[in-house]
Amino acid sequence: MQPDVIIVGAGLAGLSCARELSREGRQVLVLESSACVGGRVATEEVDGFRIDRGFQVYNDAYPEGHRQFDHHALSCGYFEPGALLSQQGRLRSLCDPWRQPFAALRSVCDGSIGLLDGLRTARLRSEAIHLFRSGALDPDVVTQEFEKSTMDELVERGFTESFIQTFFIPFFGGVFLERRLETASPVFLFNFAMFALGRACLPRGGMSALPHQMVNYLPQDTVKFNSCVSKAGPGWVRLHSGEEKKARCVVIATGGVAAGHLLPPPFGNTMAMRQDKSTRLIAFAAQQSPLNRPVLLVSAEKEGVIDNLSVPSDVVAGYAPQGQTLITISIRHDCDLHEQDLVERVRKEACVWFGPQPLSWRHLTTVDVRHALPDESPAARLKRPESPKLVDGLFVCGDHCRSASINGALKSGRLCAQQILAGD
């Protein structure tokens, strides 16, 4: 039977689109080039350890998450609010003053955070939450004349260069995969509101639990794996095998670069122009945790290669075999060291924080993610498609069409499905 809609890609956007359409009784076929769902939100197993595809966390305040996930079934473990900051070889706590008021007060008193920067942060938090709750803050909306970078936003708000260097760049540089904070300010403000209202967490056993839960909502055999599409157009797709499949509508739910290769001009040409940011993650096995608490360590070391360090097995069960520890380290995007040199450099940097313990860490794997996040600078956001509908019978969705986040991918898929349904 010919499906009503063919969706190319079983990442979060594609699954979100498929679920919305299936809910309304449409026959959907999802073609996935790999052997699993999730796209970039994936987890692989190495020697009994569960390793996510790059540094990823889920935020339980995401509006689309509340709409589309069963949070209870995810069995999430939670990071402590705030973070550990490495600066000049020393580790100190960056506390959330609304959840850890006494610890935050100590940070002001000992000079770790200036009083004025603390007050500016309080105002930023209040305004970001108000904008989000009032509906005035939408990271998906691009307004050309008002777009500015995160760095410009922070400077205009009067934050000192020292505080930007020691808090915003280490923390949000890891979130955005870039340390110049060129990401557009609406994306920053939305993320700031999400961290203020919610908690960073990991599902039990890995981030792949998110797409696995979503595919369970779909009718059996909706997703066809190992089905690589080479070209697509209105109402048709061509597989690498040469086989053609037809439907009333086709949705391209891949990443932006892949979509650029699949779509006909001029749509493909435009999407191929938008750049993606890459990242690398190094995973180690250890006998004990260097942190012994569910906290994210972010680095403000100017000459370091480490962006952040986390111990997922401290956060939630299922990441490491019983009695062992999984340590994951995200590498700065501009580091070009080869793998063996990089592993040794990371161990050396970590020894400054933890003594000789990192020398005994066993290297499990290095995960290279070439297309980790779309560029979210103001100029790049102007290259987004204006609508999920490109022409009759051809649609597109993904986080490159909305904000570059789990929330953005889910929302893009849902809104794409709604536009298809509206045209029925």
Side-chain angles (χ1 to χ4, degrees):
M1 180 186 297
Q2 181 174 300
D4 297 313
V5 182
I6 292 174
I7 298 173
V8 181
L12 293 186
L15 295 174
S16 173
C17 185
R19 183 183 182 187
E20 192 78 9
L21 292 168
S22 298
R23 220 183 235 158
E24 297 299 321
R26 304 305 185 270
Q27 295 293 320
V28 179
L29 174 64
V30 181
L31 300 176
E32 169 56 42
S33 62
S34 72
C36 61
V37 296
R40 284 165 285 150
V41 184
T43 308
E44 64 175 305
E45 186 166 325
V46 179
D47 292 349
F49 293 84
R50 303 278 292 170
I51 301 165
D52 293 325
R53 188 171 295 170
F55 172 67
Q56 300 183 50
V57 296
Y58 176 66
N59 191 302
D60 66 358
Y62 282 148
E64 287 296 318
H66 283 277
R67 183 190 292 266
Q68 302 202 39
F69 292 131
D70 177 351
H71 281 178
H72 178 74
L74 291 174
S75 300
C76 290
Y78 295 89
F79 285 89
E80 290 181 6
L84 274 179
L85 173 72
S86 165
Q87 187 179 29
Q88 297 179 343
R90 296 179 55 212
L91 297 179
R92 59 184 179 87
S93 292
L94 292 173
C95 302
D96 184 330
W98 287 267
R99 292 168 179 160
Q100 299 168 300
F102 295 109
L105 181 61
R106 285 197 301 271
S107 296
V108 173
C109 292
D110 68 13
S112 298
I113 298 176
L115 179 59
L116 291 179
D117 280 321
L119 293 173
R120 293 183 188 107
T121 304
R123 182 178 179 183
L124 171 62
R125 180 185 188 276
S126 175
E127 291 181 358
I129 291 174
H130 172 73
L131 289 169
F132 168 70
R133 287 177 168 166
S134 68
L137 175 57
D138 186 346
D140 300 332
V141 174
V142 179
T143 52
Q144 184 171 1
E145 59 181 309
F146 297 115
E147 289 271 297
K148 56 187 172 184
S149 71
T150 297
M151 181 63 80
D152 288 341
E153 177 81 31
L154 297 174
V155 171
E156 287 179 17
R157 287 178 173 271
F159 286 102
T160 63
E161 181 180 355
S162 172
F163 191 60
I164 291 173
Q165 292 290 333
T166 58
F167 171 65
F168 287 110
I169 288 179
F171 191 87
F172 285 96
V175 173
F176 299 146
L177 301 183
E178 51 100 1
R179 298 178 76 88
R180 296 175 66 179
L181 300 188
E182 294 175 334
T183 296
S185 62
V187 179
F188 162 70
L189 293 171
F190 175 79
N191 277 276
F192 199 92
M194 292 300 97
F195 282 113
L197 295 170
R199 296 173 292 176
C201 57
L202 294 172
R204 183 184 179 94
M207 290 292 289
S208 63
L210 300 178
H212 286 165
Q213 185 183 100
M214 295 184 73
V215 79
N216 288 336
Y217 293 130
L218 299 177
Q220 193 172 3
D221 298 326
T222 296
V223 182
K224 185 176 180 182
F225 296 104
N226 301 309
S227 299
C228 195
V229 174
S230 61
K231 213 67 183 172
W236 62 270
V237 299
R238 183 181 301 120
L239 304 182
H240 273 194
S241 64
E243 178 187 2
E244 285 200 1
K245 293 183 178 292
K246 294 186 177 182
R248 187 173 58 81
C249 294
V250 167
V251 178
I252 305 302
T254 65
V257 172
H261 293 302
L262 293 176
L263 289 167
F267 310 114
N269 298 341
T270 302
M271 291 190 188
M273 290 170 60
R274 190 172 178 191
Q275 299 298 308
D276 283 342
K277 293 176 282 190
S278 63
T279 186
R280 274 192 287 180
L281 179 134
I282 300 180
F284 294 98
Q287 293 301 309
Q288 64 184 59
S289 168
L291 300 176
N292 293 313
R293 50 190 281 215
V295 65
L296 177 67
L297 189 161
V298 297
S299 175
E301 306 292 353
K302 292 184 178 180
E303 304 301 324
V305 300
I306 295 177
D307 217 350
N308 61 58
L309 178 150
S310 64
V311 184
S313 50
D314 282 350
V315 179
V316 68
Y319 271 92
Q322 186 70 29
Q324 297 195 61
T325 294
L326 172 66
I327 300 162
T328 58
I329 295 175
S330 186
I331 304 303
R332 294 183 185 175
H333 75 281
D334 55 355
C335 174
D336 58 1
L337 292 175
H338 293 295
E339 184 176 49
Q340 190 55 45
D341 293 333
L342 179 59
V343 170
E344 294 308 312
R345 174 70 178 272
V346 165
R347 284 198 178 105
K348 182 179 179 180
E349 284 188 26
C351 283
V352 176
W353 306 331
F354 307 122
Q357 182 185 347
L359 299 177
S360 65
W361 293 351
R362 178 167 63 91
H363 178 225
L364 290 169
T365 189
T366 299
V367 182
D368 290 290
V369 189
R370 289 185 59 198
H371 305 291
L373 276 181
D375 179 3
E376 284 277 79
S377 65
R381 282 158 58 87
L382 294 173
K383 298 175 184 176
R384 288 178 178 174
E386 294 182 3
S387 165
K389 182 178 178 178
L390 302 178
V391 293
D392 288 344
L394 184 60
F395 294 76
V396 65
C397 65
D399 66 351
H400 60 98
C401 302
R402 294 275 164 177
S403 56
S405 66
I406 288 173
N407 190 79
L410 294 171
K411 185 176 180 180
S412 178
R414 178 176 62 83
L415 294 181
C416 180
Q418 289 179 358
Q419 185 153 3
I420 292 171
L421 294 167
D424 286 356

